[in-house]
Amino acid sequence: MTEAEQIAAFEKETRMTVAYGGDGTLLEKAKTSKRPIIPIRNYARCPKHADLLNEILHGLKEMQLKQSRHCFLQYTAGDATDKGIAELTVKSADPTSALRFNVKINGTIYLENCIADGIIYASELGSHGYWKSITRTIFRGQESVGLGFIAPTYGINNIVLRNTDKVDIEFTRDMPLCFTADKSKQTLSGIKHVAFEQLVDCATLFGYDIFCCYECRKLRNSTTINDMYFS
């Protein structure tokens, strides 16, 4: 039986979804699957996890895997909306143009007349990726979200918010905008406002701690020059 056939049989038997691949596969499955997810690296696994696929697919670890829940982040821009579990971003569709905007948090002005290349809204999960590369920090806690600013023209404090806080961005220059939600992207025109929020809807993962194993990560980083998303 091939690995693909093993995974298909396992998913049918357990009513779970296997994200067999890398970080992009996990993010895609989290967004599209309504079932609990088991993420498994399909490359560069340390000796301890070398046989992890077979162990899980034969049910040896199914009841021992640590469960974690990751709430979705959502943006709403006009009639368009999208969600992801790691991060949302908005930038100008023209990479040579900067955004001009005001920021409200819970209806109160936080920043005015800002100019920056982009805005990022990240979960704790996403704080280990793009957020970390921008802010040189990470944050902890499912109850926290990060609001950050990419290459602002003057010093703007990135801020860690409560997951119940509502963020509204008002754009003061009319331009096509590029929105991303994890791995998905869309370009929209005529957008004056975008709202960011964390939803109560969550993706359930089993074994994410194994997926992020420190020894596996060291092995991956020794075989590629690219920084992995959750390193």
Side-chain angles (χ1 to χ4, degrees):
M1 184 181 292
T2 66
E3 290 183 342
E5 290 171 335
Q6 285 180 292
I7 290 172
F10 176 83
E11 290 180 325
K12 183 177 180 180
E13 179 181 352
T14 63
R15 298 190 62 79
M16 302 181 81
T17 295
V18 175
Y20 188 53
D23 304 309
T25 302
L26 170 58
L27 294 174
E28 180 181 358
K29 292 289 187 181
K31 188 170 180 176
T32 59
S33 177
K34 299 298 184 182
R35 304 187 298 183
I37 298 164
I38 297 178
I40 304 175
R41 297 279 181 189
N42 66 344
Y43 67 100
R45 294 197 298 266
C46 72
K48 180 180 178 182
H49 297 131
D51 267 341
L52 186 61
L53 174 63
N54 286 329
E55 289 181 53
I56 290 179
L57 296 188
H58 286 91
L60 299 181
K61 285 185 174 287
E62 182 181 351
M63 302 306 297
Q64 303 173 24
L65 294 176
K66 182 178 179 181
Q67 177 181 341
S68 58
R69 291 171 60 81
H70 302 274
C71 292
F72 285 98
L73 308 177
Q74 178 176 275
Y75 70 76
T76 303
D79 295 329
T81 187
D82 204 353
K83 65 182 184 178
I85 61 171
E87 67 188 26
L88 313 175
T89 68
V90 56
K91 300 178 181 179
S92 169
D94 178 358
T96 65
S97 297
L99 301 179
R100 296 176 183 268
F101 56 92
N102 303 321
V103 180
K104 286 184 179 180
I105 298 175
N106 297 325
T108 300
I109 287 289
Y110 175 66
L111 294 169
E112 289 186 289
N113 304 317
C114 299
I115 303 174
D117 284 350
I119 303 165
I120 180 171
Y121 185 72
S123 67
E124 177 195 24
L125 189 68
S127 77
H128 294 263
Y130 196 19
W131 172 274
K132 181 180 177 182
S133 71
I134 294 168
T135 68
R136 300 294 186 265
T137 65
I138 60 173
F139 55 87
R140 305 287 186 186
Q142 289 284 333
E143 71 284 354
S144 299
V145 292
L147 178 66
F149 306 95
I150 305 167
T153 56
Y154 64 90
I156 300 175
N157 290 329
N158 303 305
I159 183 172
V160 178
L161 303 168
R162 299 184 302 268
N163 59 355
T164 55
D165 289 332
K166 306 298 183 183
V167 177
D168 182 76
I169 311 295
E170 177 191 18
F171 299 102
T172 57
R173 172 187 282 179
D174 186 18
M175 63 175 66
L177 300 174
C178 179
F179 292 85
T180 67
D182 290 349
K183 304 297 289 184
S184 64
K185 179 172 68 173
Q186 62 177 327
T187 299
L188 303 171
S189 297
I191 300 299
K192 299 297 184 183
H193 295 267
V194 60
F196 293 125
E197 62 181 325
Q198 187 182 86
L199 305 178
V200 296
D201 186 22
C202 295
T204 300
L205 309 183
F206 284 87
Y208 181 67
D209 53 327
I210 298 173
F211 186 79
C212 294
C213 164
Y214 178 69
E215 294 301 323
C216 292
R217 185 169 70 245
K218 285 201 302 183
L219 182 61
R220 292 196 304 278
N221 288 342
S222 70
T223 58
T224 177
I225 61 173
N226 295 317
D227 184 28
M228 302 307 292
Y229 193 88
F230 294 116
S231 61

